[in-house]
Amino acid sequence: TRDGGLMARKGLRAVSTSDCHSLFAPSTRFLLLVKAGVLTRMDQGEQFTALTAVSGPVQYALLNDETYWTDGTAVGRITATGESTFWGLSTPPAPVCSAVSSGGLHAGTYQVAMTAVHTVSGLESGAGECVEVVVAADGGIQVTVPSASGVNFAVYLTPPNGEQGELRQAALLAPGGTTALGRDATLGKPLDSLFATKPLPGQCLVAHKGRLWCASGTVIWFTSEKSPHWLFPDNNYFYFEAPVTLLSAAEDGLYVGTAHSVYFLQGSDPAKMTQRLVAAEGAARYSQTELPYDLFLGQGSFPTRQCAWWTVNGQLAIGKPGGIVLYPTQDRFSAGATTTGVLAYRDYAGLRQLIAALDTQINSTQAIDTAIIEVFSQEIILGEIFSAESGLAFIPITGLGQISAESGLVFPPITGFGQT
């Protein structure tokens, strides 16, 4: 330290001897991880609470203080208090409808749709195909909903000869219930989730501009702006030529990577997003992370959302707004061919670091950087380390002597470092 003392790194201790992976810290109150195949919450007191079984590495996204997750085969949600719950409700079947002779409706063709409504949270599912019912003058419509647990059913109705965009809520029924819709039915809110489905599982997940984006194979889908529980699979997607290995956000867009290249989807409205190639080398799977806004700031730039990932060629990549990709270790360091990895930001005692664990093949010319070693307090330059194309080369240091009589630290002479 500046006062001449020594500062030691904190030691390590085990908090679990199980197979653990997929760490995520959504808040300061608890940590999420997969422990022996089970998604688990670890509280501040190092108490573990099993939440739900998962089948592989888990990807997370934080939206409105809730954590959404997918393991490639299933999806789920962790509340702000750390409880496991659903992400999206399954679309119910079409309601059973028939015309009846009483009810006071005008003659015409009516369309009926139905959604499931969670009894506790009030969250609503999508609605499937509409049922058409032909009603005679002064008639009505009898509707029967299925039996189910944990949900009620909202029934939507159009005016006579109306379009699907005119569907409005006409009744809310308990499971197994039946009702007759007639002139006295009060039409409420419009149906916003017609043809919406439950979100699909995938291998990458990120939140951007109020939506959740998930990569499933070669397709990236995104949720509705009205609810993260609704996916419109016929429209809300982007297609890529190879399986997606990177999905991460900057302030004004998304970086999408495959094993061969990286694209930038620029914009906040998916209908107006532009797509362009920004890197000709692919991204290592699972290696993306978000960065503090004030890291890697160029002259005159402002702190803003950015991300980082590891390339398949062993380079650290920084994704800035506008599709600008920086390579801070280019021509200085390469980890070699990299397929998968994890990347995390660490800030301890004023030292800001990116820590990576990589599945890689280290090559012999890993580092080609230049470093100067100095003892600043005594203003004595001890030596230099510099690079050579064949590897790391060190200038010989021919006579280090005593550094501090008070500390008792004495270094023997070093007569010649060679190639290493």
Side-chain angles (χ1 to χ4, degrees):
T1 62
R2 291 183 180 276
D3 60 4
L6 298 177
M7 181 175 68
R9 184 180 64 182
K10 287 185 176 181
L12 304 177
R13 60 185 177 85
V15 297
S16 174
T17 57
S18 300
D19 176 21
C20 296
H21 58 83
S22 302
L23 299 165
F24 184 70
S27 72
T28 58
R29 299 185 300 274
F30 61 87
L31 176 77
L32 296 173
L33 69 153
V34 176
K35 182 173 181 283
V38 176
L39 184 59
T40 302
R41 184 186 74 235
M42 187 180 80
D43 298 316
Q44 285 183 331
E46 296 176 7
Q47 297 294 319
F48 291 93
T49 302
L51 299 176
T52 185
V54 293
S55 62
V58 173
Q59 297 290 293
Y60 307 91
L62 188 63
L63 181 65
N64 299 329
D65 295 327
E66 294 191 314
T67 304
Y68 296 81
W69 63 265
T70 179
D71 65 353
T73 60
V75 299
R77 175 169 54 106
I78 309 299
T79 66
T81 58
E83 303 301 321
S84 178
T85 186
F86 63 92
W87 176 14
L89 290 171
S90 298
T91 303
V96 177
C97 303
S98 61
V100 293
S101 58
S102 62
L105 292 177
H106 293 292
T109 301
Y110 292 79
Q111 298 194 54
V112 183
M114 184 176 69
T115 64
V117 180
H118 192 250
T119 54
V120 177
S121 65
L123 291 174
E124 191 170 14
S125 75
E129 292 288 342
C130 297
V131 176
E132 288 190 352
V133 182
V134 179
V135 179
D138 294 325
I141 302 172
Q142 181 174 290
V143 180
T144 301
V145 300
S147 297
S149 61
V151 295
N152 294 318
F153 294 94
V155 178
Y156 291 81
L157 181 68
T158 66
N161 305 315
E163 301 293 333
Q164 293 178 344
E166 300 177 87
L167 284 161
R168 302 182 74 88
Q169 185 173 330
L172 183 65
L173 301 180
T178 298
T179 190
L181 303 178
R183 180 179 294 178
D184 58 351
T186 301
L187 299 183
K189 68 182 184 70
L191 176 61
D192 293 321
S193 61
L194 184 62
F195 305 128
T197 67
K198 177 180 178 178
L200 302 174
Q203 70 270 17
C204 299
L205 184 64
V206 70
H208 176 62
K209 300 300 182 182
R211 302 174 190 259
L212 292 167
W213 300 68
C214 184
S216 296
T218 60
V219 176
I220 291 178
W221 54 256
F222 52 90
T223 57
S224 168
E225 75 280 7
K226 295 184 178 181
S227 174
H229 300 272
W230 297 342
L231 168 67
F232 294 93
D234 290 343
N235 302 301
N236 291 10
Y237 69 92
F238 289 89
Y239 177 79
F240 291 85
E241 78 282 359
V244 175
T245 59
L246 162 72
L247 183 59
S248 200
E251 181 62 32
D252 60 346
L254 290 165
Y255 284 93
V256 181
T258 69
H260 313 289
S261 54
V262 176
Y263 298 87
F264 189 63
L265 295 175
Q266 187 162 4
S268 57
D269 182 355
K272 300 178 181 178
M273 275 183 160
T274 59
Q275 176 182 330
R276 71 180 189 276
L277 180 70
V278 294
E281 59 180 347
R285 192 175 183 185
Y286 303 130
S287 68
Q288 74 277 357
T289 188
E290 290 208 21
L291 297 177
Y293 285 18
D294 62 339
L295 280 185
F296 301 103
L297 291 181
Q299 185 175 4
S301 60
F302 295 95
T304 188
R305 189 179 187 187
Q306 57 186 337
C307 58
W309 66 89
W310 216 264
T311 74
V312 294
N313 295 325
Q315 294 290 328
L316 176 66
I318 309 298
K320 307 290 288 185
I324 299 173
V325 182
L326 306 179
Y327 301 94
T329 62
Q330 192 174 38
D331 300 326
R332 298 190 299 161
F333 176 84
S334 173
T338 303
T339 56
T340 59
V342 291
L343 187 59
Y345 169 75
R346 180 174 185 260
D347 186 349
Y348 173 68
L351 184 63
R352 310 179 74 184
Q353 299 174 315
L354 288 176
I355 309 297
L358 304 174
D359 178 8
T360 183
Q361 298 176 358
I362 301 290
N363 60 45
S364 60
T365 59
Q366 178 177 351
I368 51 172
D369 199 3
T370 299
I372 304 298
I373 302 175
E374 294 183 273
V375 180
F376 291 98
S377 58
Q378 285 82 19
E379 299 183 358
I380 300 172
I381 298 178
L382 300 182
E384 295 181 341
I385 302 174
F386 70 97
S387 66
E389 290 300 321
S390 60
L392 291 177
F394 296 83
I395 292 179
I397 302 174
T398 56
L400 294 180
Q402 182 169 303
I403 299 298
S404 170
E406 291 78 15
S407 67
L409 293 175
V410 178
F411 296 85
I414 300 174
T415 57
F417 286 148
Q419 298 287 335
T420 183

